[in-house]
């Protein structure tokens, strides 16, 4: 076991339970919830877990490796940290903790446009290895400014988000009056008082703010105002006209995140994307969505030789990652899992979560007698 691994928390459920006890309710519910009735949230994981794998015990050639390549880069494991907004609200300093851990463990870290660390800081912590997720800005000048900053910070991959044409309908966040910085209502103050480590760390690191957007954002927005600001500033309503100038301007790798259909994959290929992330935003946008493992299977069957197909949403363990890779993903990402890790273990949360997932994933590869990540599809049982 790696020294970063804390044996008191060997599963994602352990991390999630511990995080729930250390994060104020309004912030934990923002992290943990889906949308509407949470149907997509639950379906993502349950349908991944229907995937079954077959071992080949008499073909054991030796030790397996978890290394793999995507977007022309080699990583030590086939999973990375998905972009998550407002990270510092859920656990103080968590974007720094996660960017550092990702870099140290040689896995990709994707910085969200709306998180609490700037592009420049992410680049500094990862020596120019952080990927950057872009919400499509409505104004061309803002778009060009952010893209120039990502290029100056040497981000190797720009990830354009397509699955937020509108704000998700999230009853918990509406009820909690979610805001950044948190609204000091009696309920929130009581929730914060019950979480002393979170409160102490928030004082230590300061109120989280939208660092990348600081030059463009008014201060102290509540959820409604944030929605209005985001609507005005960013238009998730993407189309060819909006995408073309981004492709022309961005010289690095370009990935489309939030793809859920064969048609959008076909368009992504035609428009010059280097990769897609099949994703339904962790079930936070469309409660009537297909699970991403099912979208992946359909898309991969037609397009895996034309574009790199990555996947997220619903993965919580090494076996889940193996199931997704066996189903044809070239790479996987997780969002909530790493924030559960930070919530549970603070500064150690990134390293522990990566170590735990890698240990679990490697055990599956060894058990299947699968030496290379690329060979996982050979172990898929087609039902
Ligand atoms: C709290 C939260 C905030 C998120 N914010 C963003 C974001 O700002 N940009 C983005 O591209 N995706 C965002 N996502 C989606 C994640 O990148 C990812 O698609 C999703 O978390 C994957 O599902 P999982 O949490 O089940 O692993 C967010 C997800 C969560 C849970």
């Amino acid at each position: 076991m790696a020294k970063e691994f804390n044996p008191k928390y060997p599963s994602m459920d352990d991390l999630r339970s511990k995080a729930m006890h250390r994060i104020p309710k309004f912030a934990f519910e923002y992290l943990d919830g889906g949308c509407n009735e949470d149907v997509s949230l639950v379906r993502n994981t349950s349908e991944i877990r229907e995937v079954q794998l077959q071992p080949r015990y008499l073909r054991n050639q030796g030790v397996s490796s978890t290394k793999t390549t995507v977007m022309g880069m080699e990583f030590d494991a086939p999973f990375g940290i998905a972009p998550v907004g407002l990270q510092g609200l859920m656990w103080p300093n968590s974007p720094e903790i996660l960017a550092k851990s990702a870099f140290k463990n040689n896995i990709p870290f994707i910085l969200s446009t709306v998180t609490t660390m700037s592009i420049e800081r992410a680049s500094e912590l990862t020596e120019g290895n952080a990927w950057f997720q872009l919400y499509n800005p409505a104004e061309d000048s803002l778009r060009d400014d952010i893209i120039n900053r990502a290029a100056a910070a040497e981000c190797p991959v720009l990830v354009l988000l397509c699955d937020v044409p509108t704000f998700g309908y999230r009853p918990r966040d509406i009820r909690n009056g979610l805001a950044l910085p948190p609204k000091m209502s009696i309920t929130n103050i009581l929730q914060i008082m019950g979480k002393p480590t979170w409160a102490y760390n928030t004082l230590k690191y300061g109120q989280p703010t939208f660092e990348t957007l600081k030059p463009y954002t008014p201060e102290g927005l509540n959820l409604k105002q944030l929605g209005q600001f985001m609507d005005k500033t960013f238009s998730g309503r993407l189309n060819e006209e909006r995408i073309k100038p981004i492709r022309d301007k961005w010289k690095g790798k370009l990935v489309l995140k939030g793809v859920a259909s064969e048609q959008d994959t076909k368009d992504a290929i035609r428009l010059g994307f280097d990769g897609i992330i099949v994703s339904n935003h962790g079930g936070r946008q469309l409660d009537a969505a297909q699970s991403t493992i099912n979208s992946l299977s359909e898309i991969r069957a037609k397009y895996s030789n034309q574009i790199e197909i990555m996947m997220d949403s619903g993965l919580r363990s090494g076996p889940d990652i193996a199931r997704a890779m066996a189903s044809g993903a070239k790479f996987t990402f997780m969002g909530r899992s790493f924030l559960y890790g930070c919530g549970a273990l603070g500064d150690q949360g990134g390293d522990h979560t990566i170590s735990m997932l890698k240990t679990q994933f490697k055990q599956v590869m060894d058990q299947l007698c699968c030496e290379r990540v690329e060979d996982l599809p050979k172990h898929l049982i087609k039902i």
Side-chain angles (χ1 to χ4, degrees), residues 131 174 197 228 241 271-272 277 285 306 320 348 350 365 367-368:
W131 300 13
I174 298 171
T197 318
Q228 287 162 349
E241 250 170 70
L271 291 168
I277 303 179
Q285 291 295 121
Q306 294 177 52
D320 292 345
Q348 276 74 50
M365 287 195 63
Q367 182 69 28
L368 292 171

Side-chain angles (χ1 to χ4, degrees), residues 240-253:
E240 207 161 321
E241 250 170 70
R242 301 295 312 164
I243 292 170
K244 272 188 173 155
I246 296 175
R247 177 64 285 188
D248 288 346
K249 191 167 174 56
W250 180 255
K251 303 300 171 213
K253 300 278 188 193

Side-chain angles (χ1 to χ4, degrees), residues 169-193:
Y169 188 90
R170 306 189 188 132
R172 298 174 188 82
D173 298 346
I174 298 171
R175 221 177 286 126
N176 292 332
L178 188 79
L180 191 74
K183 256 199 318 211
M184 285 301 129
S185 63
I186 298 289
T187 320
N188 283 359
I189 291 171
L190 288 175
Q191 287 177 18
I192 290 170
M193 281 167 64

Side-chain angles (χ1 to χ4, degrees), residues 27 29-33 41 44-45 81-87 90 110-115 133-135 159-164 170 257-258 277-284 312-316 333-337 339-340:
E29 290 194 340
Y30 171 68
L31 167 64
D32 196 56
L41 171 74
N44 277 334
T45 305
I81 301 182
V84 167
L86 274 68
Q87 284 162 314
M90 291 169 275
I110 313 182
L111 185 81
S112 159
T113 309
V114 291
T115 195
Q133 172 265 315
L134 180 70
Y135 271 98
V159 178
L160 182 63
L161 185 69
C162 71
D163 65 4
V164 186
R170 306 189 188 132
K257 174 173 184 278
I277 303 179
V278 175
S279 167
N280 59 25
H281 218 95
R284 293 166 73 81
D312 75 21
S313 300
L315 305 161
R316 299 284 182 270
F333 287 93
M334 280 157 282
R336 295 178 182 86
S337 302
L339 269 304
Y340 293 147

Side-chain angles (χ1 to χ4, degrees), residues 200-365:
Y200 169 78
N201 278 298
T202 298
L203 283 177
K204 181 170 159 195
Y205 293 107
Q207 287 283 11
T209 54
F210 295 111
E211 291 296 326
T212 295
L213 298 180
K214 227 178 198 165
Y216 329 107
T217 327
E219 276 179 20
L221 301 183
N222 64 25
L223 185 69
K224 194 166 160 215
Q225 293 158 335
L226 175 66
Q228 287 162 349
F229 168 77
M230 290 293 287
D231 254 3
K232 197 161 75 77
T233 315
F234 296 97
S235 168
R237 295 169 190 87
L238 275 180
N239 52 42
E240 207 161 321
E241 250 170 70
R242 301 295 312 164
I243 292 170
K244 272 188 173 155
I246 296 175
R247 177 64 285 188
D248 288 346
K249 191 167 174 56
W250 180 255
K251 303 300 171 213
K253 300 278 188 193
L254 188 63
V255 166
L256 188 64
K257 174 173 184 278
V259 176
S261 70
E262 291 177 34
Q263 292 87 339
D264 284 346
T265 308
K266 200 169 154 195
D267 285 346
I269 295 166
R270 186 171 51 79
L271 291 168
F273 283 92
D274 300 287
I276 58 168
I277 303 179
V278 175
S279 167
N280 59 25
H281 218 95
R284 293 166 73 81
Q285 291 295 121
L286 175 65
D287 214 23
Q290 185 180 33
S291 69
T292 50
I293 196 80
N294 282 341
S295 309
L296 170 75
S297 302
E298 291 168 12
I299 292 169
R300 176 212 58 111
K302 268 199 173 166
Y303 297 110
S304 60
N305 54 356
Q306 294 177 52
I307 192 162
E308 292 201 329
I309 302 173
M310 298 160 263
M311 182 244 185
D312 75 21
S313 300
L315 305 161
R316 299 284 182 270
S317 70
D320 292 345
I321 298 164
R323 291 173 170 116
M325 300 297 291
S327 304
K330 175 92 179 142
F331 206 83
T332 62
F333 287 93
M334 280 157 282
R336 295 178 182 86
S337 302
F338 296 102
L339 269 304
Y340 293 147
C342 289
L345 296 171
D347 290 352
Q348 276 74 50
D351 284 351
H352 169 78
T353 310
I354 294 169
S355 167
M356 179 190 86
L357 290 167
K358 207 169 146 187
T359 304
Q360 292 176 353
F361 176 73
K362 176 134 177 25
Q363 186 278 332
V364 177
M365 287 195 63

